[in-house]
Amino acid sequence: MTRPKTPALFLPEEHDHGHCVADAIEKAEQICASRGSRLTKMRRRVLDIVWESHVPVGAYDILERLNAGGGRTAPITVYRALEFLMAHGLVHRLSSLNAYTGCDLPGTPHGAHFLICNACGAAAELQDDQIDRAISRGASKAGFAVDAPVVEVRGLCPACREAE
Ligand SMILES: [Zn+2]
Ligand SMILES: [Zn+2]
Ligand SMILES: [Zn+2]
């Protein structure tokens, strides 16, 4: 998979989000197919909900959305679907928010480095190899084995800065 030259970070409110979703689902299907994994109906539905916006969503909100039509999906089902999606790099978990967000670059190994807006809650994935390298370098000096190179940076997104 090729890395886009100018990855979009915070997209304007009026962007074609349907395109983001279609793209994410298509990539997810390709990745699962290439690894012999199945994007089951439930996994796909959870991925759809995570991709409803660029604002990370909590597991219980996902559950509520799933059961909005009178369904009786159990929390464990949602957590299992999220585990699957994370294992395939399709979603990231943001610990500071205890929420999940869709990955912009699934299929490409990378750490999870996010800019998170304190006002609207939108999260954008920072794509910078230098961050990964700096983390590896620092960790190896410390004799530390990195498991999750997660970076969560809080602040204000361009739209919220403008609204201030
Ligand atoms: Zn979008
Ligand atoms: Zn990602
Ligand atoms: Zn914002």
Side-chain angles (χ1 to χ4, degrees):
M1 218 162 283
T2 51
R3 182 172 279 243
K5 281 202 177 71
T6 47
L9 288 179
F10 288 99
L11 296 168
E13 212 179 318
E14 67 277 12
H15 77 279
D16 179 7
H17 188 62
H19 179 79
C20 302
V21 178
D23 192 46
I25 299 290
E26 193 193 314
K27 281 183 190 157
E29 272 166 358
Q30 283 170 1
I31 287 168
C32 290
S34 74
R35 295 176 184 171
S37 296
R38 276 187 61 224
L39 191 63
T40 59
K41 232 172 137 184
M42 177 57 67
R43 291 165 177 170
R44 197 200 143 117
R45 186 82 190 88
V46 170
L47 188 62
D48 261 330
I49 294 171
V50 169
W51 269 102
E52 248 165 40
S53 79
H54 294 278
V55 177
V57 60
Y60 272 85
D61 293 324
I62 296 172
L63 186 67
E64 249 173 48
R65 294 276 297 105
L66 277 172
N67 289 337
R72 309 187 69 172
T73 304
I76 185 76
T77 308
V78 173
Y79 283 112
R80 281 201 188 122
L82 286 168
E83 288 293 336
F84 173 88
L85 297 171
M86 281 192 289
H88 287 277
L90 300 170
V91 306
H92 293 290
R93 180 173 177 276
L94 299 177
S95 343
S96 69
L97 300 172
N98 193 16
Y100 301 83
T101 192
C103 176
D104 290 332
L105 274 181
T108 313
H110 59 278
H113 312 138
F114 282 90
L115 301 177
I116 303 168
C117 180
N118 283 333
C120 69
E125 196 163 355
L126 263 182
Q127 307 289 351
D128 189 340
D129 297 341
Q130 292 191 36
I131 304 173
D132 285 304
R133 282 203 291 272
I135 292 173
S136 314
R137 211 166 41 233
S140 91
K141 265 188 209 155
F144 183 85
V146 176
D147 175 27
V150 179
V151 176
E152 300 181 21
V153 181
R154 309 301 293 253
L156 275 184
C157 77
C160 293
R161 283 180 66 195
E162 214 164 280
E164 278 233 309

